[in-house]
Amino acid sequence: MRRLPVFFLLDCSESMVGDKLDKMQETMNAIATALRSNPYALETVYMSVIAFAGTAKTIAPLTELYSFYPPKLPLGGGTSLGLALDTLMNEMDKAVVKTTAEQKGDWKPFVFLITDGRSTDKTDVAASRWQAKYAKRATLIAISLGKSADFTLLKKLTEHVIIYEEADKNEYTALIKWISDSTIAQSKSVGEGVENNALPSLDELALTLVKDPPASVDEACVVLTGRCQKNKKPYLIKYERSQIELGGGKHKENVVDYDSVGAFMIDEEYFKWSQAQPSAIKVNTSLLNGAPGCPYCGNHTAFAVCSCGKLTCTSGGAAVCPWCGEELFFSAGGGDFDVGRSLG
Ligand SMILES: [Zn+2]
Ligand SMILES: [Zn+2]
């Protein structure tokens, strides 16, 4: 039996924290359910999931569809797309059966790369390796959630670069449908013995094919890592970009600032999936609007900064930094200052 391998290469970087990661998880579940209800897909599709953040790992090896259950997606700091591509190529070498004189190998794999930001590691070597040896052996479809991905890089990897923008804030319906439809169409045609490289047309309300890479936009969000004063558990504070215009006439200029979205509980696994990094990347607090409360203990703000540069929660008064152990005293107010930000 010739299999149709389908790889998902999923960005689980911290910019996905909260809603977006939940939706990515639901998207995987919904795709698996849709595929399982199709007889052609059931016959040929094998699925695998590779997650990447600061590191990249196969979290579900290539498995036949009926026994495939989407794994729980991790979360980490960083977007190591170079490492993710290497992991994919190694996985293809290991798991995909090649055609030889003696045997017909697997059908050409489908790869769905879903990302929402720019790579934080080096990608040149992996991208060249992909172009040289793998691009012709797989159909790679790169899907950018929003417009912050590195389109120039994605276009080097594949002609199929798609921007997904939510028409309905609560659903990834169009995305789920398109990915399921593409996979089902391919499994049907390979079921009939033909490899069909055409992809179904896009629901233009939500999905746009990128022809010329669009001008890059500013980073969509700022994410900061903190620990609760009381239980020492980690959380992320997320800010999303809001564009405001200052001044008018000739002196009009755009100023980018960020609005608080919330503080989210995370687990210690986060640090295993994060890129080792010096806290060299700073963001000035004058660009950040609002400070959410602690997601664990309800302290008024999760945005109290120790001299070590790390965040903790406080409602004012004496505290001990859960990161470095220093004794602190927080009073209300304070001017603008720089804090270490995560890689995104
Ligand atoms: Zn707390
Ligand atoms: Zn500290």
Side-chain angles (χ1 to χ4, degrees):
M1 237 286 292
R2 300 178 73 183
R3 309 174 302 173
L4 174 60
V6 179
F7 292 94
F8 285 86
L9 205 54
L10 303 179
D11 181 344
C12 298
S13 63
E14 61 209 339
S15 52
M16 301 289 294
V17 71
D19 248 22
K20 263 179 150 176
L21 193 70
D22 292 346
K23 280 188 202 161
M24 184 94 98
Q25 185 78 56
E26 286 163 20
T27 299
M28 280 310 303
N29 300 352
I31 289 168
T33 305
L35 294 180
R36 266 204 293 269
S37 67
N38 182 278
Y40 293 104
L42 266 182
E43 200 137 296
T44 53
V45 169
Y46 277 60
M47 282 175 61
S48 173
V49 180
I50 297 165
F52 66 101
T55 184
K57 274 179 218 157
T58 301
I59 53 172
L62 206 58
T63 306
E64 53 201 320
L65 185 57
Y66 79 84
S67 50
F68 173 85
Y69 288 95
K72 182 176 179 294
L73 301 178
L75 181 75
T79 307
S80 301
L81 184 54
L83 214 51
L85 287 169
D86 276 324
T87 307
L88 168 68
M89 292 183 278
N90 297 343
E91 199 65 41
M92 281 174 63
D93 287 345
K94 200 174 75 186
V96 178
V97 180
K98 286 202 182 102
T99 298
T100 63
E102 288 79 41
Q103 61 169 7
K104 286 267 189 200
D106 289 329
W107 297 102
K108 196 173 174 180
F110 261 29
V111 181
F112 294 99
L113 161 62
I114 305 181
T115 182
D116 78 334
R118 299 177 160 271
S119 184
T120 54
D121 71 345
K122 291 234 172 2
T123 52
D124 297 3
V125 175
S128 307
R129 183 182 167 206
W130 175 264
Q131 286 165 326
K133 282 181 65 187
Y134 297 83
K136 286 202 179 68
R137 283 169 37 200
T139 302
L140 171 63
I141 297 144
I143 298 164
S144 167
L145 304 176
K147 287 181 178 159
S148 297
D150 180 350
F151 294 103
T152 308
L153 170 63
L154 296 180
K155 289 291 280 185
K156 272 187 206 161
L157 302 174
T158 176
E159 58 182 312
H160 310 295
V161 179
I162 292 166
I163 297 174
Y164 176 72
E165 281 179 301
E166 294 170 83
D168 178 341
K169 276 272 174 201
N170 298 310
E171 298 295 337
Y172 274 25
T173 322
L175 185 64
I176 293 165
K177 185 169 186 315
W178 190 79
I179 292 177
S180 309
D181 287 354
S182 321
T183 309
I184 288 170
Q186 185 71 339
S187 63
K188 183 167 189 289
S189 72
V190 300
E192 288 157 356
V194 232
E195 210 159 41
N196 172 15
N197 291 314
L199 294 168
S201 60
L202 298 169
D203 172 351
E204 281 167 12
L205 285 178
L207 297 154
T208 321
L209 183 69
V210 174
K211 296 198 180 78
D212 302 309
S216 63
V217 296
D218 297 297
E219 281 174 285
C221 68
V222 169
V223 178
L224 307 168
T225 317
R227 278 187 192 275
C228 174
Q229 193 57 235
K230 297 187 178 155
N231 67 11
K232 314 264 190 291
K233 288 187 179 165
Y235 55 80
L236 295 180
I237 307 181
K238 185 176 185 182
Y239 291 86
E240 275 177 4
R241 189 183 54 233
S242 67
Q243 194 106 18
I244 52 164
E245 282 180 2
L246 281 193
K250 269 194 283 189
H251 302 294
K252 194 157 111 178
E253 57 174 330
N254 281 329
V255 170
V256 173
D257 68 350
Y258 297 86
D259 294 330
S260 161
V261 179
F264 302 89
M265 299 181 194
I266 54 173
D267 53 36
E268 299 292 336
E269 276 286 292
Y270 169 83
F271 299 97
K272 287 188 201 151
W273 279 88
S274 296
Q275 211 165 336
Q277 49 146 335
S279 52
I281 307 168
K282 302 277 187 191
V283 59
N284 193 275
T285 55
S286 65
L287 301 177
L288 305 177
N289 305 319
C294 178
Y296 293 106
C297 71
N299 264 342
H300 295 331
T301 175
F303 199 128
V305 187
C306 172
S307 59
C308 71
K310 299 276 179 57
L311 298 183
T312 183
C313 66
T314 184
S315 290
V320 174
C321 174
W323 299 90
C324 72
E326 191 161 292
E327 287 180 26
L328 308 166
F329 191 86
F330 292 110
S331 53
D336 293 324
F337 47 87
D338 290 327
V339 290
R341 62 184 287 185
S342 308
L343 287 171

